[in-house]
Amino acid sequence: MVTYSGEVSHQWARRRLLADWRAGRVSRETVCDGDFRLLAASRFHGESVGRPCPICGGADLRVVLWIFGESLGKMSSSARSVEEIERFADAGREFTVHNVEVCPDCHWNHLLSAREVGP
Ligand SMILES: [Zn+2]
C-alpha cells in the first residue's frame, strides 16, 4: 500500500473543459492532444476505467499513473505500474503521482488528480 500525503483533484477543471467543448468554445484538436508517449503508456500501463470516453464515446478509456520527482532521477516523468510506484514508495522516495485519463481512440486526455508520496 502506498501512503499519500496529499491529493489535489482536477475534476473541476476537467468538467469545465468538457462543458467548453460541448458548447463549442474549444476544438476537438485542443482537447484530444495526447502526445505519443502518453498514448503509448496508456496502452502498456493504462487501466481501463469502465466508463466511456467523454469525447468520442469509445469504451477503451484508461487511466495512466505518471510520476514526477527529483528523487526518481531519470525515471521522473514516465508512466509506471502500481507495483513500481509501491516499490519507489517503500524505498522512501518522494514524488508526485498524476492520474491521467487517456482515450487511445481519440487522444482525449486530462489530469484527474495529483498525489504526493513521501514522508
Ligand atoms: Zn475518445
Side-chain angles (χ1 to χ4, degrees):
M1 275 297 290
V2 180
T3 307
Y4 293 101
S5 55
E7 173 160 6
V8 177
S9 172
H10 291 265
Q11 292 284 359
W12 186 80
R14 177 184 177 277
R15 280 197 296 273
R16 191 180 51 174
L17 179 63
L18 286 170
D20 280 347
W21 176 72
R22 278 188 222 102
R25 287 190 291 267
V26 293
S27 70
R28 184 158 169 157
E29 291 70 41
T30 303
V31 296
C32 297
D33 65 347
D35 71 14
F36 171 79
R37 284 182 68 212
L38 186 59
L39 295 168
S42 77
R43 293 194 181 93
F44 291 112
H45 294 286
E47 301 229 342
S48 229
V49 296
R51 54 189 160 80
C53 170
I55 304 296
C56 74
D60 199 24
L61 192 64
R62 288 154 179 262
V63 167
V64 175
L65 302 175
W66 202 271
I67 61 172
F68 301 91
E70 273 180 33
S71 75
L72 298 167
K74 63 183 190 323
M75 292 178 296
S76 181
S77 195
S78 62
R80 295 289 156 174
S81 67
V82 172
E83 293 73 27
E84 287 172 301
I85 288 170
E86 282 176 0
R87 228 173 21 245
F88 297 149
D90 287 345
R93 294 178 195 259
E94 237 177 296
F95 56 100
T96 303
V97 180
H98 281 186
N99 284 44
V100 185
E101 183 175 77
V102 183
C103 175
D105 295 331
C106 73
H107 304 182
W108 152 256
N109 64 103
H110 203 280
L111 180 61
L112 298 176
S113 66
R115 290 174 292 173
E116 304 296 330
V117 179

